[in-house]
Amino acid sequence: MSQFDVTIIGSGPGGYVSAIRCAQLGFKTAIIEKYSTLGGTCLNVGCIPSKALLASSHHYEELQHFADHGIEVSGEVKVNLEKMIARKQAVVDQTSGGVKFLMDKNNITVFNGVGSFESATSVKVTKADGSSEIIESKNIIIATGSKPSNLPFIKLDKDRIITSTEALKLKEVPKHLVIIGGGVIGIELGQVYLRLGAQVSVVEFMDRIIPGMDASLSKELTKVLKKQGMKFYTSHKVQSVERAGNAVTVKAENAKGEIITLEGDYALVSVGRRPYTDGLNAEKAGVKVTDRGQIEVNNHLQTSASNIYAIGDVVRGAMLAHKAEEEGVMVAEIIAGQKPHIDYNLIPGVVYTWPEVAAVGKTEEQLKADGVAYKAGSFPFKALGRARAGGDTDGFVKILADAKTDEVLGVHMIGARCADLIAEAVTAMEFRASAEDISRMSHAHPTFAEAIKEAALAATENRALHV
């Protein structure tokens, strides 16, 4: 029987990063993965493949605007979706292979199979061929992630009525893709196929898309995507999704009680994700699971069994790969007797459309609800020399600061390179910077990052220079 100091169940970003940190801290470490490849949802059917398709489709879209830059492309330009999907898979394989390399480099033992608890210190690994073995471990970290959610009346056939997993490997560009859910995943995949020539309609129950982010970001992204041709049906409750042959019919009720009907050839159900604990047998280890299927944890991510921890999508909080990574490192260091911490308010959120959307800290809606006096400063990308030079003028940066202390409370941005720019805001807020602090930092010219400085100036006595 194999014995370890720490065993991690699940090899997604939270799990494999936690395993590496455990190994760095001198623990004999094992990781259990039910699938044949490492990396979990993010690397295999989530973050990485979707970004690969977003990048490929963005290149195709950019071709349509080459003439604006004095570049004339002669001949027919065609989309080869099969090659695009193959490239996506090559990126996935390379990235997953990189995780395997890191496991070997750090002497982490990898077990392929389904991990299920036998007790608080033993885990059974059931392999694909039906055989099994028992692992003994002093500490265990649950990192089993999440799966796409569904509505109870929708029958997923994974052919025409699909989840994000199937949307990453379609064999044709849809004629009309109906997306149920206007969150991050649906909007990103919607833009992929919109660029490739599909008609895309988004049906969202809430009154706006990306409803968890600042309302100003939602408004701007909606405006830009409408300009690109995407159609939105917000404040619509889906009533039914039916397939007949290659046709899919979606019926939804609007705010007035009227039923609208959308006819498409594919329906992408993108209504969030649910924690995945199937087959874990958590009760055998004395681990409590909430009514929502989440593993119950304390502030140290410790479960009701003192030697068992849980991280990532399977616990409370945002379902983000980088949040899971931070939690994985924190738990490893807690087991080692250190005193790490995570400020969940400073975990950024990103939508990888173009323009990109990114945010950290409090939204205006949250500050108003909490009765916090604040001031806001915004700066549009169209006023940036770099944005005009590149032709990426959609969007803005908005900084929210405490009305009395000037401490930055939230930064919200939409525009080119915002997924990378948000790190500056996180850094500033980690060190409790004021809007004035940011406004006095030199930013290279011409860059997109200048928008952050200008927004900070706008929040500091309305001192923006270029508007």
Side-chain angles (χ1 to χ4, degrees):
M1 186 180 296
S2 301
Q3 296 189 344
F4 296 91
D5 296 317
V6 184
T7 296
I8 296 103
I9 306 175
S11 73
Y16 85 74
V17 168
S18 188
I20 292 170
R21 186 66 183 123
C22 286
Q24 288 176 341
L25 291 165
F27 294 121
K28 184 181 179 184
T29 306
I31 193 163
I32 303 169
E33 173 52 56
K34 67 179 289 188
Y35 295 111
S36 58
T37 57
L38 301 178
T41 292
C42 178
L43 272 64
N44 290 280
V45 290
C47 322
I48 300 303
S50 63
K51 303 315 163 274
L53 289 181
L54 279 163
S56 295
S57 63
H58 190 193
H59 288 313
Y60 176 67
E61 183 186 43
E62 283 186 312
L63 273 172
Q64 322 305 316
H65 305 287
F66 273 14
D68 298 339
H69 293 268
I71 303 170
E72 297 180 3
V73 180
S74 61
E76 186 180 6
V77 178
K78 295 192 296 184
V79 170
N80 187 323
L81 185 61
E82 184 179 357
K83 284 188 177 180
M84 195 177 286
I85 298 292
R87 176 192 173 273
K88 176 267 300 182
Q89 192 57 47
V91 171
V92 168
D93 294 343
Q94 183 181 24
T95 308
S96 178
V99 176
K100 179 63 170 67
F101 165 79
L102 291 171
M103 297 301 97
D104 294 340
K105 176 187 174 185
N106 288 280
N107 298 313
I108 296 163
T109 304
V110 177
F111 293 89
N112 283 107
V114 176
S116 57
F117 285 104
E118 291 289 296
S119 71
T121 57
S122 61
V123 179
K124 180 181 180 181
V125 182
T126 304
K127 301 174 185 177
D129 62 6
S131 63
S132 64
E133 62 180 303
I134 303 293
I135 296 172
E136 286 290 327
S137 189
K138 295 176 186 176
N139 299 281
I140 299 168
I141 302 171
I142 302 169
T144 46
S146 62
K147 293 286 184 183
S149 295
N150 189 21
L151 297 175
F153 55 86
I154 298 178
K155 183 179 180 181
L156 296 168
D157 61 20
K158 299 189 177 183
D159 179 36
R160 294 280 167 174
I161 304 174
I162 60 177
T163 69
S164 58
T165 300
E166 293 76 48
L168 293 166
K169 53 185 179 182
L170 294 182
K171 291 181 170 55
E172 63 179 357
V173 176
K175 296 179 182 67
H176 183 192
L177 174 63
V178 181
I179 300 174
I180 300 167
V184 177
I185 297 170
I187 295 297
E188 288 183 359
L189 290 172
Q191 192 176 51
V192 167
Y193 289 106
L194 181 72
R195 289 166 172 167
L196 301 182
Q199 178 185 341
V200 176
S201 299
V202 178
V203 182
E204 169 57 45
F205 177 74
M206 301 294 284
D207 62 355
R208 57 190 176 93
I209 63 170
I210 54 169
M213 303 187 87
D214 193 274
S216 63
L217 299 180
S218 172
K219 182 179 179 181
E220 181 73 4
L221 183 61
T222 300
K223 183 182 78 174
V224 173
L225 292 178
K226 278 185 175 179
K227 189 167 60 176
Q228 294 174 4
M230 197 175 289
K231 295 181 179 179
F232 296 97
Y233 299 85
T234 54
S235 298
H236 278 67
K237 183 179 181 181
V238 173
Q239 299 293 312
S240 64
V241 180
E242 303 292 341
R243 176 182 176 180
N246 289 337
V248 179
T249 302
V250 177
K251 292 187 177 181
E253 182 181 1
N254 66 19
K256 297 178 181 178
E258 301 165 335
I259 300 296
I260 66 143
T261 301
L262 297 172
E263 300 279 356
D265 52 341
Y266 288 89
L268 167 58
V269 181
S270 184
V271 292
R273 298 181 65 84
R274 62 174 179 85
Y276 184 73
T277 56
D278 299 13
L280 189 62
N281 291 335
E283 66 282 352
K284 279 193 175 183
V287 172
K288 291 182 180 177
V289 181
T290 70
D291 294 339
R292 297 180 61 190
Q294 294 175 332
I295 302 292
E296 211 171 84
V297 292
N298 62 19
N299 289 338
H300 291 154
L301 299 173
Q302 192 175 35
T303 70
S304 47
S306 61
N307 68 311
I308 300 175
Y309 300 79
I311 63 173
D313 289 4
V314 81
V315 301
R316 61 179 180 249
M319 291 185 173
L320 298 169
H322 46 285
K323 177 253 196 186
E325 289 184 13
E326 297 299 325
E327 290 180 332
V329 170
M330 185 175 90
V331 166
E333 293 176 353
I334 286 172
I335 293 172
Q338 299 180 13
K339 298 186 183 299
H341 80 283
I342 297 173
D343 186 343
Y344 285 97
N345 184 53
L346 299 185
I347 301 289
V350 178
V351 187
Y352 294 89
T353 48
W354 197 265
E356 293 175 332
V357 184
V360 64
K362 301 296 185 182
T363 66
E364 284 206 61
E365 293 75 26
Q366 288 171 329
L367 293 176
K368 288 174 182 175
D370 294 342
V372 176
Y374 69 94
K375 53 187 179 177
S378 294
F379 189 80
F381 270 47
K382 64 184 177 183
L384 281 180
R386 178 65 186 275
R388 288 195 300 273
D392 289 305
T393 55
D394 289 321
F396 60 84
V397 173
K398 179 170 71 173
I399 291 180
L400 307 175
D402 188 281
K404 294 180 181 178
T405 67
D406 197 37
E407 180 180 350
V408 177
L409 304 176
V411 179
H412 308 276
M413 54 180 75
I414 175 170
R417 309 299 175 198
C418 283
D420 301 303
L421 294 178
I422 198 64
E424 177 180 341
V426 176
T427 302
M429 292 175 67
E430 183 69 47
F431 288 94
R432 306 288 297 271
S434 66
E436 185 180 4
D437 288 333
I438 297 174
S439 74
R440 292 185 178 276
M441 292 165 51
S442 177
H443 286 65
H445 173 76
T447 60
F448 291 110
E450 288 177 283
I452 299 175
K453 177 184 176 79
E454 290 275 6
L457 282 165
T460 307
E461 300 174 357
N462 198 24
R463 287 174 46 209
L465 298 169
H466 289 91
V467 287

